[in-house]
Amino acid sequence: MNIRKADKRDIKEIVNVVKKSILATHMDIYPKDEIDHKLRIYSEDRIKEYMSKGEYFVAVEDNKIVGCVLAKEDNMRSLYVLPEYMRKGIGSKLAQEAEDCIKKNGYDYVNIWSSLVSIDFYKSRGYEILRDIIDEKGRALHKEMRKELY
């Protein structure tokens, strides 16, 4: 498995990774309207927009994209791994790549909005919870978290 910068040819595979990951991990935790919203916003156009505003990385194994993450300014976003590749260290490697990129770009902290399913993953990487992110319906569906980069 290797990690590289994504390019426009990767967009369809990235959308596939994101959607499969959401369907595998969010169904028992999030309300249906939130899952539908997430599936809708992660379009090819959205991924293309993210690529233009930050550094997108993909994890590749056997010529197949199995994970992705975005580093934008001091934020890490959209870390997803295909379900069949979860719990194999790919998410940690992607997170490290994003953290290294953010540090290289001169930031001392990484900020994230963690999904509820990923809180323990980020805590194990040294992130601290700052606050709940409340949606327009008053639901705490994400946690704002931060990690200092040394």
Side-chain angles (χ1 to χ4, degrees):
M1 193 273 311
N2 72 319
I3 296 175
R4 63 168 172 79
K5 276 191 177 179
D7 64 43
K8 289 185 167 115
R9 294 173 297 193
D10 299 324
I11 291 174
K12 284 185 188 305
E13 278 191 90
I14 291 169
V15 169
N16 178 58
V17 168
V18 171
K19 290 184 176 185
K20 283 185 175 180
S21 179
I22 288 170
L23 289 171
T25 60
H26 289 53
M27 298 302 284
D28 294 335
I29 295 174
Y30 283 95
K32 184 179 182 331
D33 67 311
E34 177 64 12
I35 292 169
D36 292 343
H37 172 72
K38 282 185 177 287
L39 293 173
R40 202 171 37 257
I41 65 167
Y42 278 103
S43 65
E44 290 182 27
D45 288 340
R46 174 65 58 97
I47 300 301
K48 191 182 299 182
E49 176 187 336
Y50 282 170
M51 282 183 178
S52 72
K53 295 181 179 179
E55 296 187 62
Y56 227 115
F57 298 96
V58 291
V60 180
E61 187 162 294
D62 298 324
N63 295 315
K64 174 182 178 180
I65 294 175
V66 299
C68 57
V69 67
L70 173 68
K72 179 185 173 203
E73 299 168 350
D74 62 348
N75 296 289
M76 177 172 33
R77 298 184 62 175
S78 305
L79 174 57
Y80 292 101
V81 176
L82 283 176
E84 61 269 30
Y85 290 89
M86 290 177 182
R87 304 203 182 283
K88 296 182 180 188
I90 294 169
S92 291
K93 289 177 182 168
L94 284 164
Q96 188 64 55
E97 188 75 28
E99 291 167 4
D100 291 347
C101 176
I102 290 166
K103 183 173 178 74
K104 179 187 82 181
N105 288 330
Y107 295 96
D108 296 326
Y109 292 90
V110 176
N111 297 292
I112 61 169
W113 282 16
S114 174
S115 65
L116 301 176
V117 299
S118 302
I119 294 167
D120 290 338
F121 168 78
Y122 289 114
K123 279 184 176 180
S124 75
R125 294 194 53 77
Y127 287 79
E128 297 178 46
I129 296 173
L130 301 178
R131 66 183 177 101
D132 288 340
I133 304 298
I134 309 297
D135 75 356
E136 66 279 352
K137 295 181 180 178
R139 304 174 297 192
L141 301 179
H142 296 88
K143 301 282 187 186
E144 182 178 2
M145 301 178 81
R146 173 181 267 189
K147 176 182 178 177
E148 184 173 2
L149 299 172
Y150 300 100

